[in-house]
Amino acid sequence: MSGPPLDPGRLPRLAGSPAPGTLQRLSAERLIPGAGRDPIEHGAVLLDGDTILAAGADAEVPIPAGLQTVHFDGATLLPGLIDAHTHLGFA
């Protein structure tokens, strides 16, 4: 299958997605970066709308001036995970 490259600016936004320019910083006890890499204890993710700007160890992910981090005690972050499992017959 081939065709022109996808333009992220033309993709539909998920309902409830923050608008671009809305910075959020999330942290948790664990972050699973994917791509076969080991989990990171005390991880964080920096988001601009629904775009991941940075993900990694909490101490390495920048904290923009004036932005507070939302911490999820005992949780695991999986940045970029797309859950495509669905049961449309139950909708």
Side-chain angles (χ1 to χ4, degrees), residues 9-22:
R10 296 184 51 122
L11 295 175
R13 299 186 58 76
L14 294 174
S17 293
T22 304

Side-chain angles (χ1 to χ4, degrees), residues 12-76:
R13 299 186 58 76
L14 294 174
S17 293
T22 304
L23 290 178
Q24 297 178 341
R25 189 175 187 279
L26 312 175
S27 69
E29 299 302 316
R30 188 173 306 98
L31 179 136
I32 299 178
R37 293 176 288 180
D38 291 333
I40 298 169
E41 298 301 317
H42 308 290
V45 178
L46 180 62
L47 303 165
D48 180 354
D50 57 6
T51 300
I52 299 170
L53 299 179
D58 192 25
E60 297 172 3
V61 175
I63 304 172
L67 189 68
Q68 292 187 351
T69 298
V70 178
H71 183 72
F72 296 96
D73 290 326
T76 299

